[in-house]
Amino acid sequence: MEKTDKKVILSGIQPTGTFTLGNYIGAVKNWRQLQEDYNCIYMIANMHAITVRQEPAALRKNTMDAVALLLACGIDPDKSVLFVQSQNRCHAELNWVLSCSAQFGELSRMTQFKAKSEKHPDDINAGLFTYPVLMAGDILLYQSDLVPVGADQKQHLELTRDIAQRFNMKYGDTFKLPEPYIGEVGARIMSLQDPFSKMSKSDENVNATIFILEDKDTIIRKFKRAVTDSETCVRYAQGKDGINNLMTIYSCVTGKSYEDIEREFEGHGYGDFKLAVGEAVADHLQPVRDEFARISADKEYLKEVCRKGAELSERIARRTMSKVYRKVGFVEN
Ligand code: TYM
């Protein structure tokens, strides 16, 4: 990453299986575009992933697949820093220091913690609880200006700012306060089976979620089964959550506005519309599938990308880490 006066962007994604269309539209698609104008740092959040039980061999594979997927989605390691979180020790180090500035009460209010504890009542581990502190450290280590995420991460970003502010008050100016960067359209892609809940990797209903490496037939089949409403008219309106979600998806992959879409499907039923959305999504993702097949076969290249990313990211993060240790009064090595 060149040293310029460009603003710094940091974001991350968990390597818990193939990315969903929600991950892609809400985050990764924007990451690619931002590379041109910002100093971007993108991270595979494998340390976050173990807050939920993972099979070790699967986590290892999913981590390298996630690197390959980001490359396939257009993240360019010559333009951006791309790295695996656990390969840069600063993340674990800052996590501890920040956890001494995070409050029990504020962590208890995190909606993702509440949702995940309900989902895994037999494993409400401390990592699940302190997860937002690790995430705050990810962001603050790089003195990030902007954090491009989907709407579900907004609360974690607000907490990051609170923790940073509290630390700065206690120890003097140390961290830059980051701003969330949440797209106006597509920040919350909903389940195809329940337009009131977020599209998620772990949905039990296989028809609810599109995974970006799925083949064209599967993608089209899932869109054909998408839940809509009892009207027949394709228009963006209150109470038409299923159609609104499909219009958002279609708009994000084709660049068409809602008005364009309404005009295009005037006089057509939902069947035609759903088929068109499925085809557009599958065609949009075809280059990602092709690139993924090519890149994921080249294990040496992937390892080299990770090695370079770990080194570069640690070099940047270490600067903040040294400052933090000095500020809190740790003796030097
Ligand atoms: P994760 O892996 O759950 O999701 C990665 C990104 O995808 C977005 N996203 C969505 N956007 C729109 N619609 C959806 N249905 C949808 N589902 C997921 C998420 O908002 C996210 O931007 N904690 C983070 C990973 C992380 C991170 C960070 C992010 C770790 N450290 C530092 C930013 C900065 C997470 O679990 O994302």
Side-chain angles (χ1 to χ4, degrees):
M1 194 170 74
E2 341 135 46
K3 200 158 188 276
T4 59
D5 50 11
K6 284 182 183 172
K7 289 191 168 176
V8 176
I9 281 206
L10 177 290
S11 200
I13 189 160
Q14 293 198 50
T16 42
T18 321
F19 306 160
T20 68
L21 187 61
N23 294 139
Y24 179 78
I25 291 179
V28 179
K29 185 168 172 281
N30 301 331
W31 296 2
R32 180 180 59 216
Q33 285 148 6
L34 292 165
Q35 295 183 109
E36 308 306 327
D37 301 319
Y38 296 88
N39 278 336
C40 296
I41 306 173
Y42 297 128
M43 181 189 83
I44 308 299
N46 61 340
M47 290 166 68
H48 283 84
I50 61 165
T51 54
V52 173
R53 210 166 287 136
Q54 303 286 336
E55 212 274 293
L59 179 61
R60 207 168 288 123
K61 178 179 185 305
N62 286 337
T63 301
M64 294 315 281
D65 279 356
V67 175
L69 260 177
L70 286 187
L71 295 168
C73 289
I75 303 305
D76 178 348
D78 292 327
K79 287 186 187 154
S80 304
V81 179
L82 172 57
F83 75 104
V84 175
Q85 188 181 27
S86 65
Q87 293 188 330
N88 173 346
R89 278 162 296 180
C90 294
H91 292 262
E93 291 182 31
L94 186 57
N95 177 46
W96 174 251
V97 177
L98 291 183
S99 67
C100 300
S101 281
Q103 301 299 303
F104 183 87
E106 61 191 354
L107 292 175
S108 315
R109 286 193 289 275
M110 294 294 110
T111 50
Q112 265 200 8
F113 169 68
K114 290 188 221 162
K116 286 198 178 172
S117 339
E118 268 170 36
K119 204 162 173 190
H120 306 277
D122 57 332
D123 187 20
I124 307 178
N125 60 74
L128 198 60
F129 186 67
T130 59
Y131 170 118
V133 183
L134 181 62
M135 180 162 160
D138 301 338
I139 297 165
L140 299 176
L141 269 176
Y142 301 93
Q143 306 291 348
S144 314
D145 294 284
L146 290 174
V147 185
V149 283
D152 62 332
Q153 297 297 325
K154 190 162 179 263
Q155 197 185 30
H156 290 159
L157 280 177
E158 284 159 3
L159 181 71
T160 299
R161 286 174 61 91
D162 291 345
I163 294 174
Q165 235 158 355
R166 198 173 299 129
F167 188 98
N168 287 349
M169 290 279 283
K170 257 205 273 189
Y171 296 108
D173 212 19
T174 309
F175 297 119
K176 186 175 268 182
L177 297 190
E179 299 283 344
Y181 180 105
I182 298 174
E184 266 170 42
V185 179
R188 197 168 164 78
I189 299 298
M190 308 311 277
S191 152
L192 297 188
Q193 290 296 310
D194 171 11
F196 299 101
S197 63
K198 185 186 79 163
M199 182 180 284
S200 144
K201 277 178 190 163
S202 54
D203 204 306
E204 278 158 19
N205 185 336
V206 290
N207 291 316
T209 306
I210 301 288
F211 292 96
I212 66 172
L213 292 179
E214 281 176 325
D215 61 62
K216 186 166 184 169
D217 289 347
T218 307
I219 292 178
I220 290 176
R221 193 176 65 243
K222 287 187 181 183
F223 275 105
K224 277 188 180 161
R225 292 183 185 163
V227 168
T228 50
D229 53 62
S230 53
E231 282 189 16
T232 50
C233 169
V234 177
R235 66 188 172 94
Y236 197 96
Q238 224 181 3
K240 292 176 68 71
D241 302 88
I243 285 293
N244 293 350
N245 189 38
L246 295 180
M247 286 180 72
T248 298
I249 293 171
Y250 192 62
S251 165
C252 288
V253 297
T254 60
K256 294 177 184 170
S257 67
Y258 292 144
E259 296 79 50
D260 289 341
I261 300 171
E262 285 171 4
R263 231 172 288 121
E264 183 179 348
F265 291 95
E266 218 177 292
H268 292 264
Y270 287 168
D272 288 350
F273 177 53
K274 289 197 223 179
L275 179 64
V277 182
E279 281 184 336
V281 168
D283 291 346
H284 179 89
L285 292 174
Q286 184 63 46
V288 175
R289 283 195 293 278
D290 295 345
E291 273 298 277
F292 177 79
R294 190 180 68 78
I295 298 169
S296 62
D298 194 347
K299 303 284 183 257
E300 283 311 309
Y301 172 66
L302 287 176
K303 267 199 212 152
E304 182 52 26
V305 167
C306 292
R307 197 199 52 72
K308 188 176 139 209
E311 194 185 300
L312 257 176
S313 66
E314 183 144 357
R315 202 185 307 151
I316 304 167
R318 190 52 67 190
R319 289 202 287 266
T320 300
M321 216 46 239
S322 302
K323 191 171 170 188
V324 167
Y325 280 172
R326 220 175 32 248
K327 294 268 188 186
V328 299
F330 285 178
V331 291
E332 279 173 42
N333 286 1

